Amino acid sequence: YVHLREDQLIRLTCVVARARPAAILSFPFALDYHLERNSSLENNDQTYRSILVLILRLDRRHHREHFFCQA
């Protein structure tokens, strides 16, 4: 767990080694974020390796949320 102050920025990196189709970013709630990097490369077995880097600004509404990356 990481404890953050309100309105603090956090940078998260999500790496998905093998996915088909390429990984996408989605949240089940409204969130203030900026996508810094979104790259997908095709592997030899026709799956995708995706790297997503995003910067989040969290507020009091999200203090008990869990963030995870899924493909």
Side-chain angles (χ1 to χ4, degrees), residues 15-30:
V15 178
V16 178
R18 291 185 124 80
R20 189 174 186 163
I24 60 168
L25 181 67
S26 66
F27 298 103
F29 43 82

Side-chain angles (χ1 to χ4, degrees), residues 1-5 8 10 12 58 63:
Y1 287 94
V2 176
H3 295 283
L4 301 171
R5 295 183 311 270
Q8 184 175 351
I10 184 171
L12 294 178
L58 303 179
H63 76 284

Side-chain angles (χ1 to χ4, degrees), residues 28-46:
F29 43 82
L31 188 64
D32 181 17
Y33 73 94
H34 167 73
L35 193 58
E36 188 174 81
R37 178 180 176 192
N38 181 0
S39 63
S40 293
L41 300 172
E42 190 170 358
N43 296 319
N44 291 336
D45 61 356
Q46 297 180 338

Side-chain angles (χ1 to χ4, degrees), residues 46-63:
Q46 297 180 338
T47 59
Y48 293 91
R49 179 178 186 268
S50 298
I51 300 173
L52 304 171
V53 179
L54 57 143
I55 299 173
L56 304 172
R57 181 178 303 275
L58 303 179
D59 62 25
R60 205 173 288 267
R61 295 174 297 163
H62 305 114
H63 76 284

